Each structure stands twice: as C-alpha cells, then as structure tokens.
C-alpha cells in the first residue's frame, strides 16, 4: 500500500470533517461541537482539528483528528 503524503492526509480529513460541520459529542459535557478547521501541528507532528463547543462558543479547542473522529464525536448532525 502506498504511503499518503501529508497533503493527501489533510485533504482526506478535510472531506471527512468539513469546516462548519456539527457533530454529536457524547464523550464531552456538551452535546454538539462545530469543526472550525484542520491543520498540521509541527510541534506534535499530527493533524489537528480545531472546534468549538456549544457550552463554550468563544473558545477554540484542538484535538488530534483521529482521536476526535474515533473517540470524541459519534456522528455528524449537519
């Protein structure tokens, strides 16, 4: 299997977690989160998703895209 470039990985996650999409997040104290963007973090070497939570709409949170998609959110609601 061919190894994906960082750009290909970024494009994959941007399609899977589009900016503005709202997700049900049963693992958090709030119910819904909104994706604000995805970017590469040079310090950690991971792709990170930036998102807001309904209980803190003015704050922007960051999480590794894999952890966000596999553990924090359950399904896209819009």
């Amino acid at each position: 299997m061919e190894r994906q470039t960082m750009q290909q990985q970024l494009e994959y996650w941007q399609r899977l977690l589009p900016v503005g999409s709202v997700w049900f997040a049963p693992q958090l104290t709030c119910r819904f989160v909104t994706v604000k963007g995805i970017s590469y973090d040079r310090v950690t070497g991971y792709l990170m998703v930036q998102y807001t939570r309904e209980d803190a709409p003015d704050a922007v949170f960051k999480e590794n895209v894999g952890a966000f998609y596999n553990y924090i959110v359950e399904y896209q609601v819009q």
Side-chain angles (χ1 to χ4, degrees), residues 21-63:
S21 60
V22 178
W23 294 78
F24 178 61
Q27 302 298 329
L28 302 177
T29 56
C30 66
R31 292 186 50 161
F32 300 102
V33 297
T34 303
V35 173
K36 294 298 180 186
I38 298 174
S39 60
Y40 177 72
D41 184 328
R42 290 181 186 199
V43 174
T44 64
Y46 292 109
L47 288 171
M48 305 295 284
V49 60
Q50 297 84 37
Y51 63 97
T52 57
R53 296 169 33 164
E54 69 177 345
D55 63 340
D58 294 328
V60 176
F61 300 88
K62 286 185 179 182
E63 184 62 64

